[in-house]
Amino acid sequence: MIGGFFNRNGRTQGWAALRFVSPSGLQLVQVTRPAGGHRPVVFGCDGFPLDGNGASLERVCKEAQLRRWTCTLLLEPGEYQMLLVEAPNVPAEELGAAIRWRVKDLLDYPVEEATVEVLEIPPRGAPGRGKAVYAVAARMPLLKERALRLRAAKVPLQVIDIPEMAQRNLATLHEPAGAVALLAFDGSGGLFTITQGGDLYLSRRLEVTLGELQDADEARARQHRERVALELQRSLDHVDRQLPFIALDKLLLGPLPAPVGLREFLAESLGIPVTTLDLAQLMDFSAVPELADPAEQCAHFHVLGAALRDEVGHA
């Protein structure tokens, strides 16, 4: 038993992150964060097939005792849009409404059907530059459907999150106060983020999937690596121009199921050190030893990050 695992109300002092994966599956990760700066403890990490009537989801909820956890749901990349927009010069209490108006023409559905959240980016420190924010928009019917589905299974959902913020959580774990450039891949593509001090400054999607990086044809695989290097170089040039106060001395590469030559290729192409992130150095996997395998870390990368929420600070 982990010391301080349950509070006075019998609830765990940690987060359970859920992620619906196609075609009909669920990833579940449960993480507690011991006091005293110790590594977060992964209490559970598993995947489950789901049926269409909710019985299997309710069974997962019961077996994992999710009613004792604070739960978050991680959205898939295609289920929301993340838009970088200039912040309007309005009082803080009017910012949300102003951003909705600003992004209405950027959505492919009526803004009245959208839930829009604002992620503020800290001031860039350079005079004459307007403040930017990220607007995260998702279809309200989709969010309601997910919330009702979880509620019907008695999952106490508290938060809906996105992979960008999950990746931010992992970067913060690696370097709590410093700048971190982190690139991770899954079946939907790549996600490149730059964070500093727990704040997300830059997020870009790369249309190169994990499967393409693993292409058995070396000529095609090299083309995919070159596309990744080109997109990263453009992003790093943007950082140099727009975020000069962020000092990046290396690139972190998320875990991959098997070597694909990407780390070496990027180090040579970009001219900076590239290090593969080993989550086993940052998190306690003793309760789930299979996570020592980079393939498992890759498969659960963002759902692990989603379960790393800071209940006091990060939203």
Side-chain angles (χ1 to χ4, degrees):
M1 183 66 70
I2 301 168
F5 187 66
F6 293 106
N7 63 20
R8 292 179 180 178
N9 298 319
R11 293 183 62 83
T12 60
Q13 298 179 10
W15 284 83
L18 301 93
R19 176 189 181 194
F20 291 111
V21 293
S22 61
S24 56
L26 176 77
Q27 287 184 338
L28 170 64
V29 167
Q30 295 161 286
V31 175
T32 62
R33 305 194 71 159
H38 297 290
R39 292 183 300 168
V41 179
V42 180
F43 185 79
C45 178
D46 212 340
F48 305 89
L50 296 179
D51 57 27
N53 59 20
S56 55
L57 182 57
E58 187 170 355
R59 186 165 57 251
V60 170
C61 175
K62 184 177 180 180
E63 292 177 355
Q65 301 184 55
L66 291 185
R67 296 183 69 177
R68 289 186 166 188
W69 291 75
T70 307
C71 296
T72 178
L73 172 67
L74 186 68
L75 294 180
E76 294 296 283
E79 296 177 338
Y80 66 94
Q81 288 176 264
M82 191 166 180
L83 306 164
L84 182 64
V85 297
E86 184 178 346
N89 185 22
V90 299
E93 60 272 20
E94 299 176 12
L95 181 61
I99 291 296
R100 283 182 68 87
W101 177 260
R102 182 147 293 185
V103 304
K104 67 181 182 64
D105 294 332
L106 303 176
L107 305 177
D108 56 4
Y109 54 91
V111 71
E112 291 79 11
E113 296 179 9
T115 292
V116 180
E117 297 288 336
V118 178
L119 296 177
E120 296 198 47
I121 302 173
R124 301 184 176 191
R129 287 178 176 157
K131 181 181 178 182
V133 299
Y134 278 115
V136 182
R139 290 178 181 269
M140 204 177 303
L142 170 73
L143 302 184
K144 285 184 176 178
E145 184 273 332
R146 295 296 165 82
L148 290 173
R149 186 179 182 186
L150 293 172
R151 186 180 301 171
K154 300 180 178 59
V155 176
L157 179 66
Q158 297 293 317
V159 177
I160 296 178
D161 212 340
I162 58 175
E164 283 81 355
M165 301 310 288
Q167 189 156 309
R168 183 280 311 268
N169 296 345
L170 289 163
T172 302
L173 204 61
H174 175 80
E175 185 65 55
V180 178
L182 176 56
L183 172 65
F185 289 90
D186 59 20
S188 65
L191 177 59
F192 178 62
T193 54
I194 291 181
T195 58
Q196 181 166 278
D199 292 313
L200 179 67
Y201 280 88
L202 180 71
S203 170
R204 286 192 173 168
R205 288 275 172 188
L206 279 66
E207 295 183 356
V208 176
T209 67
L210 178 59
E212 289 174 325
L213 291 175
Q214 295 174 306
D215 197 317
D217 185 295
E218 174 54 26
R220 286 199 300 265
R222 182 178 178 83
Q223 290 177 356
H224 298 314
R225 293 195 294 267
E226 289 174 344
R227 286 174 58 195
V228 172
L230 179 60
E231 290 300 318
L232 286 187
Q233 188 59 65
R234 289 172 175 168
S235 296
L236 294 175
D237 290 345
H238 172 83
V239 172
D240 286 341
R241 293 193 307 271
Q242 302 296 328
L243 305 170
F245 55 93
I246 291 183
L248 297 172
D249 58 2
K250 65 181 176 183
L251 169 68
L252 285 179
L253 186 62
L256 296 170
V260 295
L262 183 63
R263 184 182 65 79
E264 298 81 358
F265 187 86
L266 292 179
E268 181 178 354
S269 300
L270 302 176
I272 60 174
V274 180
T275 303
T276 300
L277 186 64
D278 183 4
L279 296 182
Q281 301 297 317
L282 305 176
M283 308 174 78
D284 184 343
F285 290 157
S286 55
V288 192
E290 55 268 31
L291 278 173
D293 185 346
E296 291 297 315
Q297 293 182 28
C298 180
H300 298 90
F301 190 71
H302 286 122
V303 74
L304 280 165
L308 280 172
R309 292 180 63 87
D310 182 336
E311 291 167 278
V312 177
H314 298 143

